[in-house]
Amino acid sequence: MKSVPVVVVGAGPTGLTAATLLAEYGIETLVLERWDGIYPQPRAVHLDGEIRRILARLGVGDDFDAISRPALGLRLIDPDMRVLAQFDRDPAGGANGYPEANLFDQPELEAILRANVRRYPGITLRGNAEVIAVTPENDRVRVDFTDRATGTAESVLAGYVLGCDGANSVVRSAIGATLRDLNFAQRWLVVDVDTAADFGEWEGVHQVCDPVRAATYMRIGTTRYRWEFRLRPGETAADYRDSTSLRALIAPWIGNTPSQELRLVRVAEYTFRAQLADRWHCGRVFLLGDAAHLTPPFIGQGMGAGLRDATNLAWKLAGVLTESLPASVLDTYEIERKPHAHAMIRLAKFTGRAMTDGGEFGNLLRRLLAPRLHRLPGFAELVANGQTPPLHRSELVVAHRLYRGLAGKLVPNTLIDGRRVDDIAAGRFAIITAVQPTPAQRREIEQRGGVVVIARDDLRRWLRRGRGALVRPDGTVLRTSRQLSDLIGDLPRFKAPASAVRAQVLNPDA
């Protein structure tokens, strides 16, 4: 029976991201996908600046920019289409270095990720492979699957299994985990339209706050538009199967555009849910993406949460497989990611209920309160600058119990001599310091596989009272200290990924 270090179940954005990041560290992966190719229907349409940073790490940032549109922000609108509040975002980008709201078509993104996977000989992608069982066997995991094209049963032994197989995850069932309901379920109509018409609308996300007919509108491409409408009791997608029946819903945006100029790409009913797996990890098996959590779409964080999972886990797993990190670091995946995902789900639920609850009294409250939402902690930060909550304390997030400081936060992706911090770090541990290390200290850092980043201007101000920060390969601050020697002492010997080697060749001083 064939044996591989890692089997990834599911070739959506989360699974492809995990496989690509592992391949950067030289880890061989087998990706098993139930479908033969890319699922053709559009689903996710938004990712923030933090996720755009991850795409840059994967080497597909420029390709993504070619198929995406930076959004100008978020508008909250009342039932009469009057603007209640507007949260602007700078399309030039913020602390993450890229636009903080990016609109796109998911099949196009998946095509880019699949094409990128082909650059890595260490990744094998098997389509039409339906996983039917995941079973621990001593220090390995047996994965049984069926070739759906031939009916042939096959098996493979894996060192680790990553379940990226969606809301109906076979891997989740195999480890005995269950999705815990977080008390949110709403039926919505999702409409995707292709048209050469330009509606002349503000190029951001429009949220209609209405208990009778809440709605969302956004332009996601040159000719592509997305609407979402909350369905009333008794309504189904079948009631809106053509552009004529849809016209009453989309009329506020399309004006006099003839119905024949609107090509319906998809009209489907979805139940937006909030759910969280009770556990994400059992032995050598991990859950990522929708297998671990389901987020209502009101803040556009569903797909992004899965890419955060993959980015958090991949370098840790690579470190364990290359014996540069102890196996105990894998426990930090759930410790760090589960509370973060839960916090984002809570924020999405709050946003959804704020849009849809309360009847006429709710409308009155929205008219009074919406213009003041910019003062709400969490919501304002997420909408305005894309900063999500810091990770919880763990073996790899060393924060004081009373004063967190920078630990658990992402390092700003600022420019230093024309290169972004992420490009300089290139998947390595980085020590960011406002003072020059001695030659001996620099040699020690390099011998351990790390890199020194000398902070200037904005990055120096970001360090605040700390003289330096030890930053993990995923861009998260592990700890800060005024003593450079302390940071070096905590720096593990970690194998540099291929991207760091390429960066070193192109920039010998990196």
Side-chain angles (χ1 to χ4, degrees):
M1 189 184 304
K2 182 180 179 180
S3 180
V4 294
V6 180
V7 168
V8 176
V9 183
T14 298
L16 295 174
T17 297
T20 303
L21 292 174
L22 286 167
E24 278 286 322
Y25 291 102
I27 305 300
E28 180 185 357
T29 63
L30 170 63
V31 183
L32 301 176
E33 168 57 46
R34 183 176 187 272
W35 303 107
D36 183 38
I38 297 169
Y39 186 73
Q41 296 295 339
R43 287 156 289 161
V45 294
H46 172 272
L47 58 83
D48 63 17
E50 181 181 338
I51 308 307
R52 175 60 182 79
R53 288 175 72 167
I54 295 174
L55 296 182
R57 279 277 313 277
L58 300 178
V60 299
D62 290 342
D63 293 333
F64 174 76
D65 290 345
I67 61 129
S68 66
R69 297 175 71 87
L72 298 182
L74 170 69
R75 272 183 180 174
L76 302 181
I77 302 170
D78 73 8
D80 296 320
M81 305 302 290
R82 294 174 299 196
V83 177
L84 296 171
Q86 180 168 315
F87 301 87
D88 294 318
R89 279 180 164 174
D90 184 353
N96 285 305
Y98 300 101
E100 289 299 345
N102 303 273
L103 302 174
F104 64 98
D105 181 42
Q106 184 170 335
E108 291 185 325
L109 172 60
E110 291 193 23
I112 289 170
L113 294 174
R114 283 187 175 232
N116 191 52
V117 158
R118 291 194 286 270
R119 297 194 300 115
Y120 295 92
I123 301 176
T124 301
L125 174 57
R126 285 279 305 268
N128 274 328
E130 184 166 9
V131 172
I132 57 176
V134 176
T135 311
E137 289 192 359
N138 300 318
D139 62 344
R140 312 290 286 174
V141 182
R142 176 180 173 128
V143 180
D144 299 314
F145 61 98
T146 301
D147 187 316
R148 297 176 68 240
T150 65
T152 304
E154 300 183 47
S155 299
V156 63
L157 285 176
Y160 293 89
V161 173
L162 308 186
C164 308
D165 51 341
N168 299 314
S169 171
V170 171
V171 179
R172 185 179 64 239
S173 297
I175 67 171
T178 58
L179 283 177
R180 180 166 61 93
D181 187 72
L182 300 179
N183 302 314
F184 188 94
Q186 291 184 354
R187 296 169 52 250
W188 283 66
L189 184 75
V190 178
V191 179
D192 286 278
V193 167
D194 182 90
T195 179
D198 187 333
F199 303 143
E201 292 288 343
W202 180 70
E203 296 279 325
V205 178
H206 301 217
Q207 298 274 21
V208 179
C209 303
D210 183 2
V212 177
R213 182 71 84 189
T216 305
Y217 160 83
M218 65 201 86
R219 184 176 187 174
I220 65 171
T222 303
T223 64
R224 288 292 305 280
Y225 298 84
R226 159 71 62 89
W227 284 270
E228 296 166 356
F229 299 95
R230 188 176 181 184
L231 288 168
R232 298 169 182 170
E235 287 185 322
T236 69
D239 297 324
Y240 300 100
R241 63 183 64 191
D242 55 47
S243 56
T244 300
S245 56
L246 275 170
R247 191 167 192 94
L249 296 181
I250 63 179
W253 293 276
I254 67 171
N256 296 321
T257 305
S259 296
Q260 58 267 29
E261 293 185 14
L262 307 177
R263 184 179 71 85
L264 296 186
V265 177
R266 180 187 65 159
V267 178
E269 178 181 328
Y270 278 84
T271 299
F272 296 160
R273 301 187 185 277
Q275 295 179 323
L276 191 69
D278 56 354
R279 58 174 173 161
W280 296 24
H281 168 214
C282 181
R284 292 173 171 264
V285 182
F286 296 82
L287 303 179
L288 297 81
D290 286 356
H293 44 74
L294 294 175
T295 307
F298 305 110
I299 56 173
Q301 291 291 326
M303 189 195 77
L307 269 66
R308 287 187 181 94
D309 295 341
T311 305
N312 184 288
L313 181 59
W315 67 272
K316 299 172 183 176
L317 185 53
V320 171
L321 286 167
T322 57
E323 300 183 341
S324 58
L325 294 175
S328 62
V329 303
L330 298 178
D331 294 333
T332 67
Y333 167 64
E334 182 172 345
I335 292 170
E336 294 173 357
R337 283 295 306 137
K338 188 175 181 180
H340 188 282
H342 197 181
M344 301 304 286
I345 291 172
R346 286 195 301 267
L347 184 57
K349 284 176 55 181
F350 168 82
T351 305
R353 295 202 185 283
M355 287 173 56
T356 61
D357 283 359
E360 286 305 314
F361 180 69
N363 284 340
L364 175 61
L365 285 178
R366 279 182 278 272
R367 284 194 291 271
L368 293 173
L369 298 179
R372 298 170 176 82
L373 276 177
H374 66 279
R375 301 175 186 171
L376 181 67
F379 184 84
E381 281 78 1
L382 179 64
V383 174
N385 56 33
Q387 293 184 16
T388 61
L391 298 182
H392 276 214
R393 296 172 68 251
S394 74
E395 180 181 340
L396 293 171
V397 176
V398 182
H400 192 279
R401 290 186 180 275
L402 299 178
Y403 173 71
R404 167 175 289 277
L406 298 176
K409 297 181 179 181
L410 279 175
V411 59
N413 196 23
T414 56
L415 286 168
I416 299 177
D417 295 332
R419 300 173 64 207
R420 299 211 173 272
V421 168
D422 286 357
D423 297 328
I424 298 170
R428 295 172 285 184
F429 278 90
I431 291 181
I432 299 181
T433 174
V435 298
Q436 285 284 353
T438 66
Q441 288 175 324
R442 187 178 286 272
R443 282 194 302 272
E444 178 68 16
I445 293 168
E446 293 172 353
Q447 287 170 2
R448 296 187 183 208
V451 62
V452 177
V453 178
I454 303 300
R456 304 174 188 167
D457 303 327
D458 291 343
L459 197 57
R460 190 182 186 114
R461 286 188 289 273
W462 169 80
L463 285 172
R464 298 186 303 208
R465 291 183 294 175
R467 178 169 291 181
L470 176 57
V471 177
R472 310 179 334 180
D474 59 3
T476 301
V477 176
L478 189 155
R479 63 162 299 187
T480 60
S481 176
R482 296 186 65 82
Q483 300 300 321
L484 189 56
S485 58
D486 291 342
L487 301 179
I488 297 173
D490 285 345
L491 179 66
R493 296 186 181 276
F494 188 76
K495 180 184 176 183
S499 56
V501 176
R502 292 193 295 269
Q504 188 69 34
V505 171
L506 293 172
N507 300 276
D509 295 331

